[in-house]
Amino acid sequence: MFRAQAVGAAPALLIVAVTWVSAWRQGRLAVDEFDEFAELVEAAVDPYGLDLANAPGVPCEGRLTAAESMEITRVLRKGT
């Protein structure tokens, strides 16, 4: 009786394994595409970093740092 159940479960285990591998692969591909999109957005915003910092009065020289970016966010959100 248990042997029959084990034989009946084998196709289900195969389906689970194939589904899991497929989902894992699609997830990795999605992450790779998101990384490329993030780089594209960053490249589009970089030339305007100084203008973005100077508009609300945040002092900035050269490239934006994480601290300057957080200050810009704080000023634009009015401290919230």
Side-chain angles (χ1 to χ4, degrees), residues 52-77:
L52 180 64
N54 293 329
V58 176
C60 178
E61 296 177 13
R63 290 184 61 114
L64 286 176
T65 64
E68 292 165 342
S69 297
M70 292 303 292
E71 179 65 17
I72 293 168
T73 300
R74 189 191 66 73
V75 168
L76 293 178
R77 288 187 179 174

Side-chain angles (χ1 to χ4, degrees), residues 9-26:
L13 292 176
L14 179 63
I15 290 170
V16 168
V18 168
T19 302
W20 184 83
V21 168
S22 176
W24 178 81
R25 185 173 182 274
Q26 290 297 322

